[in-house]
């Protein structure tokens, strides 16, 4: 049986504090769209440390994400979306880590 576990963190501040403490080499994110896309865009951040995945979820409030404040954009059809570069820039800036690898779940 695997000893790996997943712990959901309830706030961006909690995730940020942990990331600064652990100083991981990388953080993985996933931009989650629902169908229809205009209804919801969410962000999942994952930090792996010592057999545990720490997960933080952020959801929209208006045209920004509730906890992180990352702006949402609209495409020509009115669907809301997050840009990868906005997520990457935000995480690196907030953690003050230009050396941090921030990559999409789908690219690893």
């Amino acid at each position: 049986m695997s000893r790996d576990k997943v712990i959901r963190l309830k706030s961006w501040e909690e995730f940020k504090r942990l990331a600064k403490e652990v100083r991981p080499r990388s953080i993985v994110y996933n931009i989650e769209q629902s169908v229809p896309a205009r209804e919801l865009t969410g962000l999942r951040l994952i930090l792996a440390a010592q057999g545990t995945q720490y997960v933080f979820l952020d959801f929209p409030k208006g045209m920004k994400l509730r906890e992180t404040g990352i702006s949402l954009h609209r495409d020509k059809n009115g669907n809301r979306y997050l840009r990868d570069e906005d997520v990457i820039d935000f995480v690196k800036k907030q953690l003050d880590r230009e050396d941090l690898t921030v990559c999409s779940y789908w690219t690893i």
Side-chain angles (χ1 to χ4, degrees):
M1 181 155 79
S2 173
R3 292 183 167 201
D4 292 349
K5 59 183 174 179
V6 176
I7 296 175
R8 184 175 179 270
L9 302 175
K10 296 183 190 237
S11 73
W12 164 247
E13 288 304 318
E14 188 178 6
F15 186 90
K16 181 177 167 179
R17 181 196 55 73
L18 180 66
K20 285 186 173 188
E21 181 181 304
V22 172
R23 291 196 54 83
R25 283 189 254 165
S26 63
I27 289 179
V28 177
Y29 70 91
N30 186 30
I31 296 171
E32 301 173 348
Q33 295 283 144
S34 75
V35 178
R38 72 176 52 101
E39 298 303 321
L40 175 69
T41 297
L43 174 64
R44 177 183 304 261
L45 295 173
I46 305 165
L47 184 157
Q50 299 175 336
T52 302
Q53 288 185 11
Y54 296 93
V55 178
F56 168 68
L57 302 171
D58 200 2
F59 298 99
K61 181 176 184 181
M63 285 302 290
K64 292 185 177 200
L65 293 180
R66 182 179 310 274
E67 289 271 335
T68 58
I70 299 172
S71 293
L72 296 168
H73 303 276
R74 285 202 186 271
D75 67 15
K76 63 182 179 178
N77 296 318
N79 299 319
R80 297 187 299 182
Y81 68 96
L82 286 167
R83 295 189 317 201
D84 291 292
E85 56 269 19
D86 291 344
V87 173
I88 294 165
D89 291 345
F90 174 83
V91 171
K92 286 184 172 189
K93 235 179 240 177
Q94 287 287 305
L95 300 180
D96 196 26
R97 294 270 315 273
E98 282 303 314
D99 64 326
L100 181 66
T101 299
V102 181
C103 58
S104 170
Y105 178 83
W106 301 110
T107 60
I108 60 172

